[in-house]
Amino acid sequence: MSIPMRSYQWDELTDEQRAVVEIAKEQTKHSYCPYSHFHVGAAAKLANGVVIRGCNQENAAYPSGLCAERSALFAAGAQYPDQPVTMLAIACYTDGHFTKEPGSPCGACRQVMLETEHRYGGKMEVLLYGDNETYVFDSAADLLPLIFVSENLKG
Ligand code: THU
């Protein structure tokens, strides 16, 4: 099974993609990560054009923290429950610079990204920023084959 991922240089991205990635990069500054020192920023663009910002939020009780992607997607669902998410960008910053290679969403975030697509019945373009290249996926589903979704609960 191959993953339909494309790699782009910064100047090959569209203006819209670059704008959303820039917000994800900016958001790394607001990450609360006193334990990992790994700053992750996320930006979720909605169908109405609004961009919801997220970043990782850590906690001394480690599992209580939350990743950047889910913080953005849950904020979007809370503030704009009727708006599909059309694009999600993430960027990672550590040791004084953005990571050279794109950051990769954890399994739990992929599951939430996928449920967000199913919830609104449309695809969410996913942009993973790295200083060397940016990965682009047409759909969150491309990041999680053999998915578990609500239909599976029906047996
Ligand atoms: N993190 C994210 O925000 N997104 C991911 O997809 C991977 C990991 C955060 C969680 C934790 O605060 C830090 O990065 C180190 O794992």
Side-chain angles (χ1 to χ4, degrees), residues 3-82:
I3 298 179
M5 173 190 90
R6 298 185 304 279
S7 167
Y8 289 94
Q9 295 302 300
W10 185 249
D11 57 9
E12 293 174 323
L13 296 173
T14 65
D15 289 346
E16 184 190 16
Q17 289 170 327
R18 273 198 294 263
V20 177
V21 171
E22 283 293 9
I23 294 172
K25 290 175 73 177
E26 211 175 286
Q27 274 305 111
T28 61
K29 294 182 193 144
H30 304 300
S31 154
Y32 176 65
C33 55
Y35 306 102
S36 72
H37 307 290
F38 192 73
H39 305 248
V40 187
K45 186 167 187 180
L46 312 182
N48 66 2
V50 171
V51 178
I52 302 293
R53 294 158 183 258
C55 52
N56 54 332
Q57 303 290 325
E58 297 187 350
N59 194 282
Y62 292 178
S64 305
L66 193 65
C67 291
E69 298 91 319
R70 277 176 289 163
S71 84
L73 292 175
F74 291 156
Q79 293 168 48
Y80 294 91
D82 302 324

Side-chain angles (χ1 to χ4, degrees), residues 108-123:
C109 286
R110 291 177 196 217
Q111 183 72 28
V112 170
M113 287 155 64
L114 206 52
E115 176 106 9
T116 306
E117 280 194 343
H118 278 244
R119 173 177 178 177
Y120 297 111
K123 288 182 177 178

Side-chain angles (χ1 to χ4, degrees), residues 3-4 73 85-88 105 107 109-118 122-128 136-147:
I3 298 179
L73 292 175
V85 179
T86 56
M87 201 180 267
L88 177 73
C109 286
R110 291 177 196 217
Q111 183 72 28
V112 170
M113 287 155 64
L114 206 52
E115 176 106 9
T116 306
E117 280 194 343
H118 278 244
K123 288 182 177 178
M124 175 197 310
E125 186 174 64
V126 180
L127 305 163
L128 309 179
V136 178
F137 299 85
D138 289 336
S139 165
D142 296 335
L143 284 159
L144 197 61
L146 297 174
I147 52 172

